[in-house]
Amino acid sequence: MELTLFMSRIADSEIQDIRRGTAEFAWVDGEHTALLCYRFGGAERSWSDSPYHPGRGPEAGMPPALARARGTCWSM
């Protein structure tokens, strides 16, 4: 699994957190759109999110791994 981040402004401390810090992820399932929430570096960092809509993906469907996880939320 790979996560690609595109950020217009990023501090050196944020780069270090991404490279070496604690990574946390949460999947928030909504009726029409879901959110992948993430943060790096622990509780002192705020959450970021990326929306996901299955009808707008390359195959217009939810990837199998996400389909199995539907309705769940987890932190790693």
Side-chain angles (χ1 to χ4, degrees):
M1 182 179 294
E2 182 176 303
L3 175 66
T4 302
L5 301 171
F6 297 92
M7 303 171 91
S8 58
R9 290 171 287 198
I10 187 165
D12 289 339
S13 61
E14 291 174 305
I15 293 170
Q16 294 305 314
D17 285 344
I18 291 168
R19 288 183 177 163
R20 296 185 189 87
T22 301
E24 295 178 271
F25 300 91
W27 181 257
V28 182
D29 195 17
E31 185 176 345
H32 300 288
T33 303
L35 293 173
L36 171 63
C37 303
Y38 57 91
R39 71 178 171 186
F40 299 93
E44 60 274 358
R45 294 284 184 196
S46 61
W47 287 91
S48 296
D49 61 75
S50 180
Y52 174 81
H53 186 280
R56 296 186 181 203
E59 298 172 9
M62 185 177 286
L66 294 180
R68 288 190 300 272
R70 229 184 131 101
T72 62
C73 180
W74 66 91
S75 178
M76 294 186 254

